[in-house]
Amino acid sequence: MRNIYIAIILAMGILSSCDQLLDIEPEFTQDAENFFNTPQDYERALVGAYDLMQTSYLSIWIGEIASDNAIAGGESVNDSRGLHEIDNMTHGGVNTELRDIMRFNYAGIARANYIFEHRDNLDFPGKDQIMAEASFLRAYYHFVLVSYFGDIPLVVDKRLSISEVTASVRTPKIQVYNQIETDLRNAINVLPWTNPETGRITKGAAQALLGKVLLYQNKYSEAAQVLDELISTNQAGYALFPDYATMFYLINENSSEDVFTIQYSGLQGGDYACFVCLQGNPAVGFHGIRLYNGPFYGDGNSYNLPTQNLYNAFDANDPRRDATLLDIDAFIAAQPNSGNISYAVGGGGHTGYYNNKYIKRLNERGLPDDDLTSPLNYRVIRFADVLLMAAESFQQSGNDERARVELNKVRARVGMPLITSSGNQLLQDIYRERRLELSGEGYRFFDLVRTGRAAESIEGFQAGKHELFPIPQVEIDLTGGNWQQNPGY
């Protein structure tokens, strides 16, 4: 919790990404007492609240590695040990990656709350949109935290004193979800469908996230209503990108399929000591092929390696298989100079497959350390996900016909046969389609948990325990034991 308090303090001064700190003028004069006096101050504070979303690499890793989709990989089992523990379902309260999830998302909440705390300082044109974007960001960070940890301390519209931080208790997740829904509905009422500044949150992004939040709570009828409005109104012109095979290439970013996307650039910002400072997407370089020397791809660190189980889940003629998984040996064998191509296998495990959606390609590298500076954006919610969430919500609400319509839009895009099933079989078909369409993007573990299929799908998963991740032990200690650990840990 001390880290949460530190994050709140940082929100008073660090209002942009780490590498921009030296640009603050005049030096040493901006603090909580003389900020929020101009519209530019609110804009800068909002940039700071957006900044923590760039830690999304953790969600890509954990959402796949905790499931049956991928193994941790890496140089050795001691390379990001926390990911290997999650892979093996042996993780506990001492885990660097899980602690980062808590720290980074609470830092994002603190920065959003700092804006709300000073919302009445000044009136100016466009302020309502700034507050709406801040509402969305606060909802997003809370949603990540409640998805990982369940009950969490709910902090709204204020910074906390040290005594308040140490005395805080975990709020029941139903109350956290209520706040998330409130924030998202407030954002939807204000935000425009489009924004000339790429990456800013829009009405469609807020509706899509609200639909997801409702679906995660099994509020199927409400989710269906929200997602139906998004699909039917669709003033942003969302549509499925026609070529799945190239959709995740840099040149096809910010397409009609991108509903909620976290933006990255090829600039450095930080280094291995400060991933939260990075402007590039580190997941891409870390997913790369270890010591690779050959065409098309760049070398990397062989993290988050897809499993044979995932490969086998695809039909052989489904184009999404090869777009999602790089079969490295098959790729090399198909090259005209295959004898000159080489790569290495890491001691952290090897499956023969790599995450082909978020992987380093030679013509998409950032500078100067291209393991850390990929400009590939993270597509948090694609329109295909919206359609599949709608299909699930409609089916669970008793509308199989509409569920098939949305499901088959996704299948038709890749030329796969249309689904004609109904009832429970249709629901299982929707679940399967989510895996085929969205693998490699960080959804799988949470889909398995929320639908009650995790214990049968994930080796080592213990029902009643692994649905949630453990609260970091250091945070429990810093509250003097006010927080109880999640069951089983």
Side-chain angles (χ1 to χ4, degrees), residues 276-352:
V276 72
C277 304
L278 295 173
Q279 296 188 32
N281 185 348
V284 175
F286 275 67
H287 292 171
I289 310 159
R290 182 168 296 274
L291 298 179
Y292 176 76
N293 183 19
F296 195 74
Y297 296 101
D299 72 325
N301 298 303
S302 63
Y303 274 64
N304 196 7
L305 302 175
T307 61
Q308 187 70 46
N309 178 284
L310 175 57
Y311 185 87
N312 293 342
F314 287 89
D315 294 333
N317 59 341
D318 190 334
R320 292 174 297 188
R321 185 187 68 180
D322 292 342
T324 301
L325 301 93
L326 168 64
D327 182 337
I328 185 60
D329 292 331
F331 172 80
I332 291 174
Q335 304 307 308
N337 61 335
S338 59
N340 298 325
I341 302 173
S342 61
Y343 72 98
V345 174
H350 181 65
T351 64

Side-chain angles (χ1 to χ4, degrees), residues 16-31:
S16 56
S17 59
C18 298
D19 59 314
Q20 294 174 312
L21 292 177
L22 298 180
D23 294 334
I24 295 177
E25 296 289 349
E27 194 175 8
F28 305 126
T29 63
Q30 294 192 311
D31 55 31

Side-chain angles (χ1 to χ4, degrees), residues 139-217:
Y140 170 73
Y141 295 129
H142 273 124
F143 180 56
V144 172
L145 288 167
V146 77
S147 298
Y148 274 81
F149 303 111
D151 300 346
I152 56 169
L154 179 62
V155 184
V156 179
D157 289 357
K158 66 177 183 177
R159 296 162 291 163
L160 301 181
S161 67
I162 293 178
S163 61
E164 287 176 312
V165 169
T166 56
S168 67
V169 295
R170 296 173 66 185
T171 306
K173 66 179 182 180
I174 188 172
Q175 296 180 33
V176 180
Y177 271 121
N178 288 340
Q179 180 61 47
I180 293 170
E181 291 181 34
T182 297
D183 275 341
L184 289 175
R185 294 185 190 279
N186 289 340
I188 290 168
N189 289 335
V190 173
L191 290 172
W193 281 101
T194 60
N195 194 307
E197 187 172 354
T198 302
R200 296 287 283 262
I201 296 302
T202 62
K203 184 188 295 290
Q207 284 185 316
L209 184 58
L210 177 59
K212 187 171 186 176
V213 166
L214 294 168
L215 183 62
Y216 270 52
Q217 299 174 80

Side-chain angles (χ1 to χ4, degrees), residues 338-376:
S338 59
N340 298 325
I341 302 173
S342 61
Y343 72 98
V345 174
H350 181 65
T351 64
Y353 304 108
Y354 294 82
N355 186 328
N356 211 15
K357 291 179 175 177
Y358 295 103
I359 193 171
K360 190 195 300 183
R361 291 178 275 262
L362 289 176
N363 64 344
E364 297 176 347
R365 292 176 296 176
L367 293 173
D369 185 339
D370 60 22
D371 276 350
L372 304 177
T373 57
S374 170
L376 280 178

Side-chain angles (χ1 to χ4, degrees), residues 24-172:
I24 295 177
E25 296 289 349
E27 194 175 8
F28 305 126
T29 63
Q30 294 192 311
D31 55 31
E33 304 307 319
N34 62 16
F35 204 67
F36 293 109
N37 292 322
T38 69
Q40 290 73 28
D41 289 344
Y42 284 84
E43 285 284 352
R44 294 171 64 199
L46 184 63
V47 170
Y50 269 96
D51 191 51
L52 272 299
M53 287 203 301
Q54 293 196 320
T55 61
S56 66
Y57 63 91
L58 288 165
S59 293
I60 302 175
W61 288 347
I62 296 174
E64 296 296 308
I65 292 168
S67 78
D68 53 350
N69 272 1
I71 67 169
E75 182 179 8
S76 72
V77 294
N78 294 315
D79 187 15
S80 297
R81 176 183 288 273
L83 294 177
H84 285 276
E85 293 171 350
I86 291 170
D87 185 6
N88 296 322
M89 289 288 128
T90 59
H91 51 281
V94 180
N95 185 290
T96 298
E97 284 71 27
L98 294 176
R99 190 181 182 203
D100 282 346
I101 288 285
M102 179 162 284
R103 294 167 61 207
F104 294 159
N105 284 282
Y106 265 116
I109 291 169
R111 293 185 184 190
N113 279 339
Y114 186 47
I115 301 172
F116 280 98
E117 185 177 354
H118 295 277
R119 66 186 307 167
D120 297 326
N121 285 27
L122 186 70
D123 286 323
F124 55 90
K127 178 184 171 185
D128 58 341
Q129 183 166 328
I130 288 176
M131 302 310 302
E133 291 179 50
S135 292
F136 175 96
L137 295 172
R138 184 167 65 183
Y140 170 73
Y141 295 129
H142 273 124
F143 180 56
V144 172
L145 288 167
V146 77
S147 298
Y148 274 81
F149 303 111
D151 300 346
I152 56 169
L154 179 62
V155 184
V156 179
D157 289 357
K158 66 177 183 177
R159 296 162 291 163
L160 301 181
S161 67
I162 293 178
S163 61
E164 287 176 312
V165 169
T166 56
S168 67
V169 295
R170 296 173 66 185
T171 306

